[in-house]
Amino acid sequence: MAQVLEFKLPDLGEGLTEAEIVRWLVEVGDVVAIDQPVVEVETAKAMVEVPCPYGGVVTARFGEEGTELPVGAPLLTVAVGAPEGASGSAASPSSSSSSPSSSGKGSGSGAESSGGSGNVLVGYGTGAPAARRRRIRPDRLDRAVAEAPVSGAPVVEAQVVEAPVAEVLVAEAPVSDGPVPVVSPLVRRLARQHDIDLRRLAGSGPDGLILRADVDRAIRTAEETAAATARAAQAPARSRAKPSTPSAPVAASPNGVAAAGAERIPLRGVRGAVADKLSRSRTEIPDATCWVDADATELMAVRAAMNAATGPSAGPKVSVLALLARICTAALARFPELNATVDTEAREIVRLPGVHLGFAAQTERGLVVPVVRDAHTRNAESIGAEIARLTELARTGKLSPAQLTGGTFTLNNYGVFGVDGSTPIINHPEAAMLGVGRIMPKPWVHQGELAVRQVVQLSLTFDHRVCDGGTAGGFLRYVADCVEQPAVLLRTL
């Protein structure tokens, strides 16, 4: 007898509460194996392929591509074959009316016997080893489900429910007095916030399911109608006051609705996470910025000599970013005040023992900050190799949430965009960020004579709560000295 299990969006870790469906990897009717990826979702941290802990046939999917789902919302349902030896004890239609306590125990044992994976992602999966079970042929799925009695209880995660196909599929059309065909709580909340009556909407999803796109379309229509009404109401007044002046478009109505034709771009995914973090940084952190120009000619010469080495001293190519990162770790060892965070509730400055160095990387999905763990224990070659590895993962969208969090100091090389300087926003909850502009030939006084040298502008934005300007200036001056005279680093090697 077929058993239909509901798989919910798991806890993806790092405090994430929702994810957007980017691409479905399976269709309804497909046969999936245990731990097979079934959907690709985008969180505020990274793109993640979500594997299903059950093996069987997909009977339903919840949510279209582009839909945001909260953690715990249904993703799909899977029909699996009954475990061996379960046929003799299969529940009859009358058994579905058993007491809650007995049904709860049965669901627990059913979850164990139905089989599932363990350590797939944070927050879901069964701890028990997978039990042996019959393989179910796809062509027998419909008959197996049809023969199973219908239970009045809703489908719950990892709970065996006797053929609840009618429960997990929405009705063919919304009924005025019946339930509204909406799966996502986010869609309901969005409609409630904009006073949209879901009973008046015709869903564009399967079987009339109302999607977020349907609600967004209704919101845009309401906004355009409101804007048109506002223009029509204001036109007579303008014509009486200035008959010869053509009416201008309404920029915004009193309730903040933008003018007709304005494009609305949702702040979600990576862009939403960046917006939240930068806003929080500006709100909570009293930052200040200092900067200095440095002659990077000697640093560039040292890098060229490293990369040109042959024989036993040869090694992987070292990037400028790797050398600057190594300089940062040396500077933080001298000025540990900047490798810190502020505990606002306890009103304490927390100085951190290790340096986890973040570096800003621009990708097609937006700005991300991968973190080099234990950078203070690495040399320039090791840091460079880790930066290259994380950069490649960032470009392909395969960074895990753990690789994007936990930084204690950030290095921002905005010089790759062809700019000289910037006042970067601190990556909350860190206490400082070093910005590096482009390295380019400029006139420079060198050894008492005017010469063309490779000059770079360095800027340090710091949290004024953790230190004063003297400490920040000392840190930045030490970094500049190392850039101008790399031999200074020999003291700390």
Side-chain angles (χ1 to χ4, degrees), residues 5-17:
L5 304 179
E6 183 179 80
F7 174 42
K8 298 180 180 180
L9 179 64
D11 177 6
L12 301 173
E14 301 296 335
L16 301 174
T17 59

Side-chain angles (χ1 to χ4, degrees), residues 6 25 51 68 83 86 111 143 190 250 267-268 281 285 293 298-299 313 318 344 370 380 387 435 463 469:
E6 183 179 80
L25 305 179
E68 279 190 341
R143 185 176 64 205
L190 184 64
V250 179
L267 280 173
R268 60 189 184 191
S281 178
I285 299 178
D293 290 339
E298 293 299 325
L299 181 69
S313 59
V318 178
T344 55
I387 288 176
D463 186 340

